[in-house]
Amino acid sequence: MTFNTYALVGNIISLDGENFEMMRSFPIKFTHYLKIKFWLATGIQISLTIILSLAIAFFIRLKIELILPLLSGIILSQIAGCLYYFARDWRLLSLNWTDPNQLLSRGLGNWGVFMMTFGSMLFGKYCKIN
């Protein structure tokens, strides 16, 4: 529901901008820094999605026994999505962006982002469990 290339974790490395090289010069391992950054952004992303999903679940009066599978599905899918978009952010790393649109449309462009969002909505509609 709340996850695409505009998500926080999809841009978290590139948001460092000019501070990125400074962080690499610190005496901590850079991989440790990236792990902390990943889990912080993933935690924020999961929290926002859980809050939104619980609000919708209570609004539509979802049964209590369905809320636990909902939450576990959210957590697993968000971790998988965060792994993908974090790796994508590293692969398309851009530290010299001046406009947020440059950062958000890397790789696919605006049209590609639209098609990916629309495609995932269609996929979700036709893959529902009866």
Side-chain angles (χ1 to χ4, degrees):
M1 279 189 294
T2 62
F3 200 67
N4 56 26
T5 55
Y6 298 124
L8 174 66
V9 77
N11 299 296
I12 195 72
I13 301 172
S14 295
L15 286 175
D16 280 347
E18 295 174 359
N19 295 331
F20 182 78
E21 292 302 325
M22 181 186 68
M23 293 306 296
R24 291 188 83 148
S25 67
F26 284 166
I28 63 169
K29 289 185 179 180
F30 190 67
T31 55
H32 182 67
Y33 168 72
L34 288 177
K35 284 179 186 177
I36 292 171
K37 197 169 192 69
F38 169 77
W39 285 111
L40 177 69
T42 301
I44 293 169
Q45 189 69 37
I46 289 172
S47 300
L48 292 174
T49 308
I50 285 176
I51 290 169
L52 180 62
S53 298
L54 286 176
I56 291 171
F58 289 125
F59 180 73
I60 65 171
R61 293 184 174 90
L62 190 66
K63 294 181 182 178
I64 298 290
E65 55 269 5
L66 293 177
I67 290 180
L68 185 61
L70 172 71
L71 295 178
S72 61
I74 287 170
I75 291 169
L76 291 175
S77 64
Q78 288 291 315
I79 290 173
C82 286
L83 284 169
Y84 171 76
Y85 281 114
F86 192 79
R88 181 182 180 276
D89 188 28
W90 179 256
R91 188 181 73 242
L92 299 173
L93 185 62
S94 175
L95 301 175
N96 58 354
W97 56 274
T98 56
D99 181 23
N101 287 330
Q102 290 175 328
L103 185 60
L104 298 175
S105 62
R106 296 173 292 159
L108 294 174
N110 289 334
W111 181 250
V113 170
F114 166 74
M115 290 305 292
M116 191 158 188
T117 304
F118 186 71
S120 60
M121 287 183 350
L122 285 177
F123 181 75
K125 178 183 179 351
Y126 291 110
C127 292
K128 65 182 178 182
I129 298 173
N130 292 328

